[in-house]
Amino acid sequence: MTEPMTLRARVQAPVKEVRHALTDPAAMRIWLAEHAEVELPGRYAFWGCHTPEGDAPHQRLLHADERTVRFAWTLGGVEATTEFSVEEDGDDATIVSLSQSDYDNQEALANTSIRGVLQTYWCLALANLAEHLEGRELTPKIDFTTREMRADVLVGAAPDTVFDSLIDSEKATRWFGFPLGIEPRVGGRYAMGGFDNPNPAVIVDLEPGRRLSVDWGPVGVGTWELEGSEGRTRLTLVQSGFEGDLPPYAAWGGILAGLSELRRFHEIPDWRPIWVG
């Protein structure tokens, strides 16, 4: 069953700057896609390796004004509607809302269609929009042209501090934005949704301050490797050993979107999530 999907993110930039980033092809090629072409009011297109089915542009502009961009996007054989809208949030911040029609969460859970990637794809895109407008280093995007899933980032905190935020249930829940129940030992549970989850992931490797590996079942084993220098951490993520013809892009997108918030959690004074209820 398809259902509308809505996301709302707070960006520390004025509405005018946010709207420019949403519609300027040069900016879009930074935070969203490998390729972008925009000629309002007639064309709004993006494609390339960081776009699902990105061999060519598959968008059709429906409406654009100073606060809204709405377009049809054919993905997985289905033409659905995507809409960005912006509104002021005080003097120097903007709430960006993203709505996506015809989204089926079961496609994401079962990994049966490329359309299942839409929620985490847009979470990561909005996180990178915020990073771009706030002058921060972007989080690596999904590469839909490869089965290799690997990302490297620098986090502005020491390895022990970063590692603690990966294995402490309360801290991980804060930055990930979803309840996590974690038993920090080999064989312990890593439970999305908390310990009531009847099918939790399992920690299969744990070296304090250096490595954490979690077996997520069909979507493979996720490994976080940490290496420190001068109070910073080089964090390497790898997702491997997954099953099926379609790589688990939806799960990988969720991990990358979470990585963006993990970096903010450690680097921004008086941190609060970008996500708005």
Side-chain angles (χ1 to χ4, degrees):
M1 176 178 171
T2 61
E3 55 191 51
M5 179 262 290
T6 302
L7 301 168
R8 301 181 75 229
R10 179 183 291 107
V11 177
Q12 298 301 317
V15 163
K16 184 176 181 180
E17 293 182 13
V18 177
R19 200 271 183 180
H20 176 79
L22 290 171
T23 56
D24 177 72
M28 291 168 65
R29 287 191 286 269
I30 296 172
W31 67 268
L32 180 61
E34 184 182 12
H35 307 292
E37 291 181 359
V38 178
E39 294 180 7
L40 302 180
R43 180 170 173 79
Y44 189 88
F46 54 91
W47 69 100
C49 66
H50 303 304
T51 304
E53 295 186 347
D55 58 311
H58 299 294
Q59 300 82 26
R60 179 170 57 87
L61 185 64
L62 301 175
H63 174 78
D65 58 33
E66 292 305 309
R67 296 297 178 101
T68 305
V69 176
R70 185 184 312 118
F71 55 92
W73 184 8
T74 299
L75 183 64
V78 176
E79 184 180 76
T81 301
T82 306
E83 179 177 296
F84 290 111
S85 63
V86 295
E87 60 183 283
E88 289 95 349
D89 183 44
D91 294 334
D92 58 355
T94 300
I95 301 297
V96 183
S97 298
L98 181 285
S99 65
Q100 176 69 59
S101 74
D102 298 274
Y103 172 70
D104 186 346
N105 191 53
Q106 292 304 311
E107 290 182 340
L109 294 175
N111 199 38
T112 55
S113 166
I114 191 61
R115 294 185 53 75
V117 78
L118 281 169
Q119 184 169 30
T120 59
Y121 169 81
W122 283 125
C123 283
L124 179 57
L126 290 178
N128 271 329
L129 172 67
E131 288 170 347
H132 167 61
L133 287 164
E134 295 168 20
R136 291 175 49 80
E137 181 180 354
L138 270 63
T139 299
K141 304 178 184 73
I142 307 168
D143 185 344
F144 291 97
T145 66
T146 180
R147 295 178 64 87
E148 182 181 6
M149 296 184 177
R150 181 187 177 95
D152 294 274
V153 298
L154 280 174
V155 183
D160 287 347
T161 301
V162 176
F163 190 82
D164 183 58
S165 68
L166 296 176
I167 62 170
D168 181 278
S169 296
E170 182 179 352
K171 292 176 183 177
T173 293
R174 287 185 64 204
W175 62 259
F176 194 67
F178 191 74
L180 285 170
I182 303 170
E183 296 172 333
R185 56 178 173 79
V186 173
R189 291 174 292 175
Y190 207 97
M192 296 288 292
F195 289 128
D196 290 337
N197 182 345
N199 298 297
V202 178
I203 295 175
V204 293
D205 190 9
L206 189 155
E207 184 179 349
R210 295 184 59 87
R211 173 190 287 263
L212 174 68
S213 293
V214 179
D215 187 347
W216 298 95
V219 299
V221 175
T223 297
W224 307 64
E225 294 185 340
L226 300 84
E227 184 175 313
S229 176
E230 299 180 346
R232 305 178 77 190
T233 299
R234 169 69 63 180
L235 186 57
T236 301
L237 285 73
V238 177
Q239 190 80 6
S240 61
F242 43 81
E243 302 173 4
D245 295 331
L246 179 64
Y249 293 126
W252 183 234
I255 292 169
L256 293 176
L259 175 60
S260 170
E261 201 67 8
L262 173 66
R263 291 170 54 227
R264 299 174 69 90
F265 176 77
H266 287 288
E267 295 173 352
I268 295 180
D270 301 318
W271 167 87
R272 60 175 174 171
I274 68 169
W275 306 108
V276 180

